[in-house]
Amino acid sequence: MTIPSFLLMGVVNVTPDSFSDGGRFLDPAAAIAHGRALVGEGADIVDVGGESTRPGAAPVDEEEEHRRVLPVVEGLVGAGAIVSVDTVKLEVARAALDAGAGYVNDVTAFRAAPGMAALVAGRGATCCLMHMRGEPRTMQDDPRYEDVVSEVKAFLEERLAFAVGEGVAEEKIHLDPGIGFGKTAAHNLELLRRLPELAALGRPVVIGTSRKSFLGRIASGPPRAVDARMPGTIATNVLALAAGARVFRVHDVAPIRDALTVAAAVLAGS
Ligand code: HH2
């Protein structure tokens, strides 16, 4: 067995209301400095977002999202980083690509903006297509599935075929089950447990468990606050690596890189 290789995607939220770091990086200079620090810690990609997708989050208009995101994308591209833009809006994605971003992370998997797939195809960008049930405002209102893994898999398969049909090269497409997006804790755990079924689609699987609330509700005792979810973040990312995930979207790059590097070395000996 070869050592499983992985990519780390470091998160920079340029928002006032993100669930874990809202308001910390609204100032472009602070966001750029944070992104550079994440690259220094070993992030392969920096994912810049200007609209929170936390449950119940209010939508942000295009002009405001553009104003938040663009200076940060420009600053990080200028610093030599590989930049992803976390957006569902066509014009925000276009401006970020114009500024040198190379990756579009669309949590609607090209369903929100007509033309997003064609834009990504035309630019030769890499993209992440993510599963989400409903929309952020309402997605955690009693989500139900017959079989969450088969439904997420069928959705990702359909979006993969759509993107390829629109001209996106298959090797530029990553797939993400959307941990916490219209899913209960039990759904998230089942997706993590049965990740090999998603990896079987043949595209790199992206996993985003970092600091998410379900991690704080599993361990005994009081729910863990956002800044006390590192052990759960490490546990889920390591298990996801072993189960075939290849891209890890995290807020805390240095400790997750260490954990995944050790896990990969163990797996390489198996
Ligand atoms: N999770 C969040 C946002 N974007 N993109 C992908 N591909 N996968 C994810 O799991 C994912 C994502 C939510 O985390 P965060 O950006 O920290 O919070 P917020 O949406 O509140 O800004």
Side-chain angles (χ1 to χ4, degrees):
M1 185 182 175
T2 51
I3 298 184
S5 56
F6 57 85
L7 291 176
L8 274 173
M9 180 184 268
V11 180
V12 177
N13 285 319
V14 196
T15 61
D17 57 346
S18 286
F19 77 93
S20 78
D21 55 359
R24 286 185 58 200
F25 308 115
L26 250 187
D27 169 41
I32 293 165
H34 183 58
R36 295 182 71 149
L38 294 182
V39 172
E41 291 178 24
D44 302 288
I45 306 166
V46 184
D47 190 37
V48 180
E51 177 178 33
S52 173
T53 52
R54 78 185 153 74
V60 174
D61 71 40
E62 186 176 293
E63 200 179 323
E64 173 62 13
E65 190 177 328
H66 189 284
R67 197 187 62 73
R68 291 179 186 174
V69 160
L70 250 289
V72 180
V73 171
E74 284 165 0
L76 289 172
V77 168
I82 295 177
V83 175
S84 158
V85 63
D86 185 347
T87 190
V88 303
K89 296 193 184 72
L90 185 65
E91 292 313 322
V92 174
R94 191 194 310 281
L97 292 168
D98 285 346
Y103 194 112
V104 175
N105 177 21
D106 181 347
V107 298
T108 72
F110 295 159
R111 289 176 300 153
M116 188 71 104
L119 174 70
V120 167
R123 302 303 181 89
T126 304
C127 62
C128 177
L129 306 180
M130 196 195 80
H131 177 272
M132 169 165 52
R133 167 66 63 85
E135 55 177 65
R137 210 168 36 79
T138 53
M139 67 188 178
Q140 290 305 102
D141 299 348
D142 193 24
R144 286 166 194 254
Y145 300 84
E146 284 283 316
D147 175 353
V148 67
V149 179
S150 336
E151 287 172 55
V152 167
K153 183 175 180 181
F155 172 88
L156 293 176
E157 207 163 11
E158 188 274 317
R159 297 322 291 166
L160 174 62
F162 170 80
V164 170
E166 293 288 304
V168 183
E170 193 162 341
E171 63 272 17
K172 301 267 184 179
I173 301 174
H174 297 171
L175 302 175
D176 185 335
I179 297 295
F181 285 84
K183 288 148 193 124
T184 63
H187 293 142
N188 293 332
L189 295 176
E190 186 161 6
L191 283 162
L192 288 166
R193 195 177 304 123
R194 292 171 54 194
L195 221 46
E197 293 175 47
L198 303 181
L201 290 170
R203 300 306 315 142
V205 172
V206 180
I207 255 330
T209 61
S210 185
R211 299 181 182 173
K212 285 185 179 169
S213 66
F214 79 105
L215 300 174
R217 287 183 271 111
I218 293 170
S220 62
R224 304 294 190 269
V226 159
D227 59 0
R229 297 177 191 160
M230 175 74 81
T233 300
I234 290 176
T236 47
N237 280 296
V238 163
L239 287 166
L241 177 77
R246 288 295 170 264
V247 186
F248 300 85
R249 183 181 183 278
V250 296
H251 302 84
D252 306 285
V253 169
I256 308 297
R257 175 162 284 286
D258 269 10
L260 290 177
T261 302
V262 172
V266 173
L267 292 167
S270 67

Tab-separated table of all heavy atoms in Angstrom, residues 3-58:
chain	number	residue	atom	x	y	z
A	3	ILE	N	1.562	5.311	0.740
A	3	ILE	CA	1.089	6.244	1.771
A	3	ILE	C	-0.043	7.067	1.177
A	3	ILE	O	0.126	7.678	0.126
A	3	ILE	CB	2.218	7.181	2.242
A	3	ILE	CG1	3.335	6.358	2.867
A	3	ILE	CG2	1.699	8.229	3.223
A	3	ILE	CD1	4.455	7.166	3.461
A	4	PRO	N	-1.229	7.071	1.794
A	4	PRO	CA	-2.303	7.881	1.226
A	4	PRO	C	-1.919	9.349	1.252
A	4	PRO	O	-1.504	9.861	2.283
A	4	PRO	CB	-3.495	7.621	2.142
A	4	PRO	CG	-3.043	6.691	3.199
A	4	PRO	CD	-1.595	6.441	3.049
A	5	SER	N	-1.994	9.998	0.109
A	5	SER	CA	-1.658	11.422	0.097
A	5	SER	C	-2.946	12.197	0.364
A	5	SER	O	-4.042	11.694	0.144
A	5	SER	CB	-1.069	11.804	-1.247
A	5	SER	OG	-1.962	11.469	-2.251
A	6	PHE	N	-2.802	13.404	0.868
A	6	PHE	CA	-3.986	14.198	1.178
A	6	PHE	C	-3.693	15.662	0.939
A	6	PHE	O	-2.534	16.082	0.849
A	6	PHE	CB	-4.438	13.952	2.624
A	6	PHE	CG	-3.383	14.246	3.654
A	6	PHE	CD1	-3.193	15.526	4.131
A	6	PHE	CD2	-2.579	13.225	4.145
A	6	PHE	CE1	-2.223	15.804	5.079
A	6	PHE	CE2	-1.596	13.498	5.096
A	6	PHE	CZ	-1.416	14.782	5.571
A	7	LEU	N	-4.763	16.428	0.798
A	7	LEU	CA	-4.658	17.881	0.651
A	7	LEU	C	-5.375	18.529	1.826
A	7	LEU	O	-6.461	18.093	2.206
A	7	LEU	CB	-5.348	18.346	-0.636
A	7	LEU	CG	-4.711	17.959	-1.958
A	7	LEU	CD1	-5.592	18.422	-3.122
A	7	LEU	CD2	-3.324	18.578	-2.094
A	8	LEU	N	-4.763	19.561	2.352
A	8	LEU	CA	-5.410	20.312	3.429
A	8	LEU	C	-5.922	21.620	2.888
A	8	LEU	O	-5.186	22.380	2.243
A	8	LEU	CB	-4.402	20.591	4.544
A	8	LEU	CG	-4.290	19.463	5.555
A	8	LEU	CD1	-3.163	19.731	6.515
A	8	LEU	CD2	-5.593	19.302	6.320
A	9	MET	N	-7.207	21.866	3.145
A	9	MET	CA	-7.836	23.115	2.734
A	9	MET	C	-8.060	23.930	4.016
A	9	MET	O	-8.845	23.533	4.880
A	9	MET	CB	-9.165	22.782	2.047
A	9	MET	CG	-9.937	23.969	1.570
A	9	MET	SD	-11.538	23.428	0.876
A	9	MET	CE	-11.128	23.237	-0.833
A	10	GLY	N	-7.337	25.033	4.150
A	10	GLY	CA	-7.483	25.880	5.342
A	10	GLY	C	-8.607	26.883	5.134
A	10	GLY	O	-8.772	27.426	4.045
A	11	VAL	N	-9.403	27.124	6.164
A	11	VAL	CA	-10.600	27.969	6.052
A	11	VAL	C	-10.312	29.403	6.491
A	11	VAL	O	-9.775	29.633	7.573
A	11	VAL	CB	-11.728	27.408	6.954
A	11	VAL	CG1	-12.982	28.285	6.856
A	11	VAL	CG2	-12.039	25.965	6.603
A	12	VAL	N	-10.692	30.352	5.619
A	12	VAL	CA	-10.671	31.777	6.006
A	12	VAL	C	-12.067	32.332	5.763
A	12	VAL	O	-12.500	32.495	4.618
A	12	VAL	CB	-9.634	32.577	5.180
A	12	VAL	CG1	-9.698	34.060	5.568
A	12	VAL	CG2	-8.222	32.049	5.397
A	13	ASN	N	-12.803	32.577	6.837
A	13	ASN	CA	-14.165	33.117	6.721
A	13	ASN	C	-14.137	34.628	6.903
A	13	ASN	O	-13.824	35.123	7.979
A	13	ASN	CB	-15.067	32.487	7.777
A	13	ASN	CG	-15.452	31.052	7.412
A	13	ASN	OD1	-15.745	30.759	6.246
A	13	ASN	ND2	-15.431	30.171	8.376
A	14	VAL	N	-14.479	35.345	5.825
A	14	VAL	CA	-14.506	36.813	5.885
A	14	VAL	C	-15.962	37.219	6.127
A	14	VAL	O	-16.629	37.762	5.249
A	14	VAL	CB	-13.963	37.416	4.571
A	14	VAL	CG1	-13.630	38.896	4.784
A	14	VAL	CG2	-12.732	36.672	4.088
A	15	THR	N	-16.453	36.855	7.305
A	15	THR	CA	-17.879	37.042	7.622
A	15	THR	C	-18.000	37.538	9.062
A	15	THR	O	-17.133	37.270	9.881
A	15	THR	CB	-18.633	35.691	7.546
A	15	THR	OG1	-18.046	34.820	8.511
A	15	THR	CG2	-18.569	35.062	6.183
A	16	PRO	N	-19.143	38.180	9.363
A	16	PRO	CA	-19.355	38.546	10.769
A	16	PRO	C	-19.980	37.414	11.570
A	16	PRO	O	-20.024	37.469	12.788
A	16	PRO	CB	-20.339	39.728	10.665
A	16	PRO	CG	-21.067	39.509	9.385
A	16	PRO	CD	-20.160	38.742	8.463
A	17	ASP	N	-20.491	36.354	10.880
A	17	ASP	CA	-21.390	35.419	11.556
A	17	ASP	C	-21.069	33.944	11.356
A	17	ASP	O	-21.910	33.089	11.646
A	17	ASP	CB	-22.834	35.694	11.088
A	17	ASP	CG	-22.979	35.580	9.572
A	17	ASP	OD1	-21.958	35.556	8.867
A	17	ASP	OD2	-24.127	35.525	9.098
A	18	SER	N	-19.848	33.600	10.880
A	18	SER	CA	-19.533	32.175	10.745
A	18	SER	C	-19.552	31.530	12.119
A	18	SER	O	-19.236	32.175	13.121
A	18	SER	CB	-18.166	31.988	10.096
A	18	SER	OG	-18.278	32.278	8.732
A	19	PHE	N	-19.895	30.232	12.154
A	19	PHE	CA	-20.173	29.641	13.471
A	19	PHE	C	-18.938	29.546	14.342
A	19	PHE	O	-19.041	29.568	15.561
A	19	PHE	CB	-20.843	28.264	13.306
A	19	PHE	CG	-19.892	27.158	12.931
A	19	PHE	CD1	-19.316	26.366	13.923
A	19	PHE	CD2	-19.574	26.898	11.619
A	19	PHE	CE1	-18.442	25.333	13.595
A	19	PHE	CE2	-18.708	25.871	11.274
A	19	PHE	CZ	-18.131	25.095	12.259
A	20	SER	N	-17.756	29.449	13.743
A	20	SER	CA	-16.590	29.230	14.617
A	20	SER	C	-15.641	30.420	14.675
A	20	SER	O	-14.906	30.568	15.646
A	20	SER	CB	-15.827	27.991	14.170
A	20	SER	OG	-15.038	28.272	13.046
A	21	ASP	N	-15.617	31.226	13.623
A	21	ASP	CA	-14.629	32.315	13.615
A	21	ASP	C	-15.229	33.615	13.094
A	21	ASP	O	-14.505	34.512	12.651
A	21	ASP	CB	-13.403	31.921	12.764
A	21	ASP	CG	-13.785	31.498	11.354
A	21	ASP	OD1	-15.005	31.494	11.035
A	21	ASP	OD2	-12.896	31.173	10.559
A	22	GLY	N	-16.584	33.704	13.177
A	22	GLY	CA	-17.270	34.891	12.650
A	22	GLY	C	-16.722	36.170	13.266
A	22	GLY	O	-16.554	36.259	14.483
A	23	GLY	N	-16.451	37.153	12.411
A	23	GLY	CA	-16.007	38.461	12.879
A	23	GLY	C	-14.516	38.587	13.112
A	23	GLY	O	-13.988	39.690	13.210
A	24	ARG	N	-13.795	37.469	13.139
A	24	ARG	CA	-12.354	37.569	13.450
A	24	ARG	C	-11.544	38.065	12.263
A	24	ARG	O	-10.486	38.657	12.427
A	24	ARG	CB	-11.806	36.207	13.898
A	24	ARG	CG	-12.241	35.845	15.307
A	24	ARG	CD	-11.588	34.566	15.760
A	24	ARG	NE	-10.135	34.642	15.728
A	24	ARG	CZ	-9.343	33.575	15.709
A	24	ARG	NH1	-9.847	32.366	15.704
A	24	ARG	NH2	-8.027	33.709	15.692
A	25	PHE	N	-12.057	37.779	11.028
A	25	PHE	CA	-11.262	38.107	9.844
A	25	PHE	C	-12.045	38.968	8.858
A	25	PHE	O	-11.848	38.864	7.648
A	25	PHE	CB	-10.760	36.810	9.176
A	25	PHE	CG	-10.067	35.899	10.151
A	25	PHE	CD1	-10.604	34.656	10.451
A	25	PHE	CD2	-8.906	36.304	10.798
A	25	PHE	CE1	-9.983	33.820	11.374
A	25	PHE	CE2	-8.277	35.481	11.730
A	25	PHE	CZ	-8.811	34.237	12.016
A	26	LEU	N	-12.908	39.831	9.369
A	26	LEU	CA	-13.673	40.713	8.478
A	26	LEU	C	-12.774	41.762	7.854
A	26	LEU	O	-13.003	42.204	6.730
A	26	LEU	CB	-14.779	41.416	9.275
A	26	LEU	CG	-16.214	41.013	9.000
A	26	LEU	CD1	-17.163	41.922	9.748
A	26	LEU	CD2	-16.562	40.983	7.516
A	27	ASP	N	-11.764	42.176	8.590
A	27	ASP	CA	-10.797	43.124	8.058
A	27	ASP	C	-9.903	42.393	7.046
A	27	ASP	O	-9.312	41.352	7.387
A	27	ASP	CB	-9.972	43.684	9.223
A	27	ASP	CG	-8.775	44.463	8.734
A	27	ASP	OD1	-8.931	45.198	7.756
A	27	ASP	OD2	-7.684	44.299	9.304
A	28	PRO	N	-9.819	42.882	5.783
A	28	PRO	CA	-9.060	42.136	4.767
A	28	PRO	C	-7.620	41.843	5.200
A	28	PRO	O	-7.117	40.740	4.958
A	28	PRO	CB	-9.079	43.060	3.547
A	28	PRO	CG	-10.226	43.987	3.756
A	28	PRO	CD	-10.465	44.081	5.234
A	29	ALA	N	-6.986	42.805	5.858
A	29	ALA	CA	-5.579	42.578	6.250
A	29	ALA	C	-5.488	41.416	7.242
A	29	ALA	O	-4.576	40.570	7.141
A	29	ALA	CB	-4.993	43.849	6.860
A	30	ALA	N	-6.454	41.336	8.165
A	30	ALA	CA	-6.445	40.236	9.139
A	30	ALA	C	-6.710	38.904	8.433
A	30	ALA	O	-6.100	37.880	8.753
A	30	ALA	CB	-7.495	40.477	10.215
A	31	ALA	N	-7.632	38.925	7.466
A	31	ALA	CA	-7.956	37.694	6.739
A	31	ALA	C	-6.752	37.226	5.918
A	31	ALA	O	-6.445	36.026	5.870
A	31	ALA	CB	-9.168	37.930	5.834
A	32	ILE	N	-6.076	38.161	5.269
A	32	ILE	CA	-4.906	37.785	4.457
A	32	ILE	C	-3.804	37.236	5.364
A	32	ILE	O	-3.189	36.201	5.073
A	32	ILE	CB	-4.407	38.997	3.633
A	32	ILE	CG1	-5.460	39.368	2.582
A	32	ILE	CG2	-3.061	38.693	2.967
A	32	ILE	CD1	-5.267	40.747	1.940
A	33	ALA	N	-3.583	37.902	6.495
A	33	ALA	CA	-2.540	37.430	7.420
A	33	ALA	C	-2.889	36.031	7.929
A	33	ALA	O	-2.016	35.151	8.018
A	33	ALA	CB	-2.414	38.403	8.596
A	34	HIS	N	-4.181	35.791	8.189
A	34	HIS	CA	-4.585	34.468	8.667
A	34	HIS	C	-4.373	33.411	7.570
A	34	HIS	O	-3.853	32.325	7.834
A	34	HIS	CB	-6.040	34.508	9.120
A	34	HIS	CG	-6.506	33.216	9.698
A	34	HIS	ND1	-5.897	32.624	10.790
A	34	HIS	CD2	-7.507	32.363	9.333
A	34	HIS	CE1	-6.499	31.482	11.061
A	34	HIS	NE2	-7.468	31.299	10.195
A	35	GLY	N	-4.758	33.751	6.347
A	35	GLY	CA	-4.557	32.820	5.234
A	35	GLY	C	-3.083	32.497	5.034
A	35	GLY	O	-2.706	31.338	4.819
A	36	ARG	N	-2.253	33.502	5.134
A	36	ARG	CA	-0.806	33.258	4.985
A	36	ARG	C	-0.289	32.376	6.117
A	36	ARG	O	0.565	31.513	5.904
A	36	ARG	CB	-0.051	34.586	4.962
A	36	ARG	CG	-0.386	35.433	3.743
A	36	ARG	CD	0.404	36.711	3.728
A	36	ARG	NE	1.812	36.449	3.428
A	36	ARG	CZ	2.610	37.289	2.794
A	36	ARG	NH1	2.157	38.454	2.389
A	36	ARG	NH2	3.855	36.987	2.557
A	37	ALA	N	-0.803	32.600	7.313
A	37	ALA	CA	-0.382	31.770	8.448
A	37	ALA	C	-0.787	30.313	8.212
A	37	ALA	O	-0.023	29.380	8.498
A	37	ALA	CB	-0.995	32.301	9.745
A	38	LEU	N	-1.998	30.115	7.653
A	38	LEU	CA	-2.452	28.739	7.386
A	38	LEU	C	-1.553	28.062	6.341
A	38	LEU	O	-1.226	26.880	6.461
A	38	LEU	CB	-3.912	28.728	6.914
A	38	LEU	CG	-4.960	29.189	7.940
A	38	LEU	CD1	-6.369	29.085	7.351
A	38	LEU	CD2	-4.878	28.385	9.233
A	39	VAL	N	-1.124	28.836	5.330
A	39	VAL	CA	-0.195	28.273	4.334
A	39	VAL	C	1.117	27.906	5.030
A	39	VAL	O	1.695	26.830	4.798
A	39	VAL	CB	0.047	29.268	3.176
A	39	VAL	CG1	1.153	28.784	2.256
A	39	VAL	CG2	-1.245	29.483	2.388
A	40	GLY	N	1.563	28.774	5.928
A	40	GLY	CA	2.791	28.490	6.688
A	40	GLY	C	2.666	27.219	7.519
A	40	GLY	O	3.643	26.506	7.733
A	41	GLU	N	1.434	26.920	7.962
A	41	GLU	CA	1.210	25.705	8.760
A	41	GLU	C	1.050	24.459	7.888
A	41	GLU	O	0.914	23.353	8.403
A	41	GLU	CB	-0.072	25.863	9.600
A	41	GLU	CG	0.048	26.897	10.704
A	41	GLU	CD	-1.268	27.043	11.474
A	41	GLU	OE1	-2.086	26.103	11.489
A	41	GLU	OE2	-1.476	28.126	12.048
A	42	GLY	N	0.978	24.670	6.561
A	42	GLY	CA	0.882	23.515	5.678
A	42	GLY	C	-0.409	23.378	4.903
A	42	GLY	O	-0.686	22.309	4.352
A	43	ALA	N	-1.208	24.444	4.834
A	43	ALA	CA	-2.414	24.356	3.997
A	43	ALA	C	-2.012	24.312	2.524
A	43	ALA	O	-1.179	25.105	2.087
A	43	ALA	CB	-3.324	25.556	4.252
A	44	ASP	N	-2.592	23.384	1.763
A	44	ASP	CA	-2.318	23.299	0.321
A	44	ASP	C	-3.201	24.266	-0.443
A	44	ASP	O	-2.846	24.730	-1.525
A	44	ASP	CB	-2.583	21.867	-0.173
A	44	ASP	CG	-1.731	20.856	0.581
A	44	ASP	OD1	-0.519	20.831	0.341
A	44	ASP	OD2	-2.290	20.123	1.424
A	45	ILE	N	-4.388	24.523	0.092
A	45	ILE	CA	-5.383	25.398	-0.530
A	45	ILE	C	-5.948	26.270	0.595
A	45	ILE	O	-6.126	25.774	1.713
A	45	ILE	CB	-6.556	24.565	-1.118
A	45	ILE	CG1	-6.048	23.477	-2.074
A	45	ILE	CG2	-7.604	25.441	-1.795
A	45	ILE	CD1	-7.101	22.414	-2.417
A	46	VAL	N	-6.238	27.525	0.289
A	46	VAL	CA	-6.919	28.370	1.281
A	46	VAL	C	-8.311	28.677	0.735
A	46	VAL	O	-8.455	29.204	-0.375
A	46	VAL	CB	-6.150	29.687	1.528
A	46	VAL	CG1	-6.840	30.476	2.633
A	46	VAL	CG2	-4.702	29.408	1.917
A	47	ASP	N	-9.326	28.333	1.511
A	47	ASP	CA	-10.729	28.466	1.079
A	47	ASP	C	-11.297	29.746	1.684
A	47	ASP	O	-11.509	29.836	2.892
A	47	ASP	CB	-11.511	27.245	1.576
A	47	ASP	CG	-12.913	27.150	1.000
A	47	ASP	OD1	-13.096	27.498	-0.186
A	47	ASP	OD2	-13.822	26.695	1.721
A	48	VAL	N	-11.570	30.727	0.813
A	48	VAL	CA	-12.020	32.047	1.276
A	48	VAL	C	-13.528	32.164	1.049
A	48	VAL	O	-14.009	32.012	-0.073
A	48	VAL	CB	-11.290	33.168	0.497
A	48	VAL	CG1	-11.767	34.538	0.973
A	48	VAL	CG2	-9.778	33.043	0.660
A	49	GLY	N	-14.268	32.435	2.132
A	49	GLY	CA	-15.722	32.544	2.016
A	49	GLY	C	-16.236	33.839	2.606
A	49	GLY	O	-15.716	34.314	3.622
A	50	GLY	N	-17.268	34.408	1.974
A	50	GLY	CA	-17.833	35.668	2.453
A	50	GLY	C	-19.294	35.555	2.854
A	50	GLY	O	-19.956	36.565	3.087
A	51	GLU	N	-19.809	34.310	2.906
A	51	GLU	CA	-21.209	34.125	3.309
A	51	GLU	C	-21.278	32.886	4.190
A	51	GLU	O	-20.909	31.792	3.754
A	51	GLU	CB	-22.103	33.925	2.077
A	51	GLU	CG	-23.556	33.654	2.430
A	51	GLU	CD	-24.452	33.497	1.202
A	51	GLU	OE1	-23.982	32.991	0.167
A	51	GLU	OE2	-25.632	33.888	1.289
A	52	SER	N	-21.749	33.056	5.413
A	52	SER	CA	-21.851	31.904	6.312
A	52	SER	C	-22.924	30.944	5.828
A	52	SER	O	-23.966	31.369	5.330
A	52	SER	CB	-22.188	32.366	7.723
A	52	SER	OG	-22.439	31.236	8.546
A	53	THR	N	-22.645	29.643	5.983
A	53	THR	CA	-23.644	28.622	5.653
A	53	THR	C	-24.122	27.932	6.920
A	53	THR	O	-24.729	26.872	6.841
A	53	THR	CB	-23.032	27.566	4.716
A	53	THR	OG1	-21.822	27.096	5.311
A	53	THR	CG2	-22.758	28.135	3.356
A	54	ARG	N	-23.824	28.514	8.078
A	54	ARG	CA	-24.254	27.847	9.319
A	54	ARG	C	-25.783	27.766	9.331
A	54	ARG	O	-26.460	28.608	8.719
A	54	ARG	CB	-23.717	28.595	10.546
A	54	ARG	CG	-24.481	29.817	10.888
A	54	ARG	CD	-23.891	30.611	12.022
A	54	ARG	NE	-24.277	31.988	11.856
A	54	ARG	CZ	-25.493	32.468	12.090
A	54	ARG	NH1	-26.438	31.691	12.537
A	54	ARG	NH2	-25.779	33.739	11.867
A	55	PRO	N	-26.333	26.743	10.050
A	55	PRO	CA	-27.786	26.623	10.080
A	55	PRO	C	-28.428	27.932	10.523
A	55	PRO	O	-28.008	28.535	11.507
A	55	PRO	CB	-28.016	25.517	11.123
A	55	PRO	CG	-26.740	24.721	11.110
A	55	PRO	CD	-25.646	25.690	10.791
A	56	GLY	N	-29.418	28.373	9.741
A	56	GLY	CA	-30.126	29.603	10.091
A	56	GLY	C	-29.477	30.863	9.561
A	56	GLY	O	-30.023	31.948	9.745
A	57	ALA	N	-28.330	30.748	8.895
A	57	ALA	CA	-27.623	31.957	8.437
A	57	ALA	C	-28.461	32.722	7.412
A	57	ALA	O	-29.153	32.137	6.587
A	57	ALA	CB	-26.284	31.580	7.806
A	58	ALA	N	-28.361	34.043	7.472
A	58	ALA	CA	-29.076	34.883	6.510
A	58	ALA	C	-28.227	35.011	5.246
A	58	ALA	O	-26.997	35.089	5.329
A	58	ALA	CB	-29.303	36.260	7.112
